[in-house]
Amino acid sequence: MSISREESKILKAIAIMSVIFAHGYGWAGAFACVPIINSRRLLTFFVQCGLTLFLFLSGYGVYHSYSEKGFGAYWNNKIDKVFVPATIIQLVWCLVLFLCNSKSLVLGEGEWYELFLDIICVNPHNRADGTMWFLSFLLFCYLSFYFFFRFIHNKKAALMLLIVYWMILSPIMPRIWVDVQYYIPAFVMGIIVAFVSKIRIFHLRKRSLFYIILLLAVVISLYLVFLFRKNYVVDVVGGLCSAFLFILLVKLIGTGYLRHIGYFGGISFYIYLLEYKVMFGAVDYTRYSDAGRLLLFTVLFAITIILSFVVDAIMRRNA
């Protein structure tokens, strides 16, 4: 099951929209006047799907890049395309918070190093923007992949050892990244799918059977998610299968019909960097009525999209 660049953009657009929808419900109460979508179950589904999709695509992309280019520009790409823009935007945001005397950045003695970690987006408990925990976890994923595939030349052995390593650390990760236990398998699953997609026999007649089995797994797992919400295993499987469901839908519909959605996928990372800062960090939604919250959420979402296109244009010009 190979995922093309265009398909990846469409899936990233779906992922970021899922996360924003979930945050709009949880942080802003933006959908109180729309009962049909004002559902906690729907919130859980979207946030799990969005984050799982992002991590899955990250694992998939990392392995494909490594298999085609090796580790020649591995860290250059990660630093230039991920952590440099994140640090610049985070630095501007921290300056805004300082100028506004925000309580979230009140520093005690010896806490400047935490502010530095906040700015470079590697603090799992980022006080300036709590959503940046994802970048610190992503860095951990990148480091883990690099360690095993850089120093173990047998790809199968490297993959197996990475899986074992991931399983061993799974109970520890939630102590560092809150609620990450629901998304732990996604990055490694992306690597596994990318690894399997390189096996040529997989592209032959078994592809149709694979899609049928995948569709059945998705349907069954989504049913279990809504039936047994408190089961952790079901949560994890449900998150993965909801992500696979969107992958399957994009495959079946085709990029031709969905290409316009891909524009948002191309700036999805910048939307993620700006989303909290523009839409939630400096806004008190409790001051507004139900309809007012929805209107404000919509306006700030549009501003976030416009700023993301601007940042993308600036980064492309300076690349």
Side-chain angles (χ1 to χ4, degrees):
M1 184 182 66
S2 61
I3 300 173
S4 69
R5 185 179 296 273
E6 287 303 314
E7 289 170 341
S8 178
K9 286 183 178 181
I10 293 167
L11 291 167
K12 287 177 182 177
I14 293 171
I16 192 61
M17 296 307 168
S18 298
V19 171
I20 290 178
F21 176 88
H23 288 168
Y25 168 85
W27 293 347
F31 309 112
C33 60
V34 191
I36 193 171
I37 60 175
N38 192 44
S39 163
R40 188 165 189 81
R41 282 189 176 183
L42 205 58
L43 158 72
T44 304
F45 171 81
F46 274 107
V47 75
Q48 285 184 344
C49 174
L51 291 174
T52 299
L53 254 180
F54 269 129
L55 285 170
F56 176 88
L57 292 171
S58 296
Y60 184 91
V62 161
Y63 185 84
H64 259 284
S65 176
Y66 153 72
S67 64
E68 293 174 3
K69 305 174 185 176
F71 284 113
Y74 183 81
W75 286 114
N76 288 341
N77 287 335
K78 302 296 177 289
I79 292 171
D80 292 345
K81 296 180 180 179
V82 178
F83 288 96
V84 167
T87 299
I88 293 172
I89 292 174
Q90 189 76 348
L91 177 59
V92 172
W93 176 241
C94 286
L95 290 173
V96 170
L97 292 178
F98 269 121
L99 293 173
C100 296
N101 295 319
S102 172
K103 293 181 180 179
S104 63
L105 284 186
V106 174
L107 298 176
E109 185 177 351
E111 290 185 351
W112 287 96
Y113 75 97
E114 284 200 35
L115 175 60
F116 175 72
L117 296 180
D118 287 346
I119 292 173
I120 63 174
C121 303
V122 297
N123 188 352
H125 307 287
N126 199 302
R127 293 170 299 174
D129 182 347
T131 64
M132 292 298 106
W133 72 265
F134 182 81
L135 270 187
S136 66
F137 182 67
L138 196 59
L139 176 61
F140 172 75
C141 294
Y142 290 154
L143 286 168
S144 301
F145 179 86
Y146 181 82
F147 177 82
F148 283 98
F149 283 86
R150 176 69 178 81
F151 299 106
I152 301 174
H153 299 295
N154 186 305
K155 293 181 181 178
K156 292 181 181 178
L159 179 58
M160 292 303 298
L161 289 172
L162 177 61
I163 293 171
V164 172
Y165 168 76
W166 219 249
M167 292 174 66
I168 292 172
L169 288 187
S170 292
I172 303 172
M173 291 181 190
R175 301 177 188 176
I176 304 173
W177 298 279
V178 178
D179 290 336
V180 78
Q181 65 267 27
Y182 298 110
Y183 321 112
I184 287 173
F187 182 77
V188 174
M189 187 62 69
I191 296 172
I192 293 171
V193 171
F195 177 84
V196 172
S197 71
K198 294 293 182 179
I199 303 174
R200 298 196 173 187
I201 192 172
F202 195 73
H203 294 289
L204 301 178
R205 297 177 182 177
K206 295 183 179 180
R207 183 184 295 179
S208 299
L209 178 61
F210 169 78
Y211 283 141
I212 294 172
I213 294 173
L214 178 60
L215 180 60
L216 288 173
V218 166
V219 171
I220 293 171
S221 298
L222 288 178
Y223 170 75
L224 292 174
V225 167
F226 284 95
L227 197 61
F228 304 107
R229 276 291 322 136
K230 294 183 179 179
N231 189 311
Y232 165 70
V233 175
V234 172
D235 280 341
V236 173
V237 173
L240 284 171
C241 287
S242 60
F244 283 139
L245 172 63
F246 282 112
I247 294 172
L248 181 61
L249 288 174
V250 170
K251 285 281 187 185
L252 293 175
I253 296 173
T255 57
Y257 294 100
L258 301 171
R259 62 183 181 278
H260 297 300
I261 299 177
Y263 295 140
F264 297 100
I267 60 167
S268 60
F269 181 62
Y270 301 122
I271 296 175
Y272 156 67
L273 293 178
L274 293 168
E275 171 226 2
Y276 173 82
K277 300 168 179 65
V278 175
M279 299 179 66
F280 306 106
V283 182
D284 183 7
Y285 282 89
T286 60
R287 297 169 54 190
Y288 300 92
S289 65
D290 291 349
R293 288 198 295 270
L294 179 59
L295 177 61
L296 180 60
F297 174 82
T298 304
V299 171
L300 292 177
F301 174 67
I303 293 172
T304 301
I305 296 296
I306 293 170
L307 288 176
S308 298
F309 275 113
V310 171
V311 172
D312 181 58
I314 294 172
M315 296 304 297
R316 285 177 181 275
R317 184 175 298 176
N318 295 324

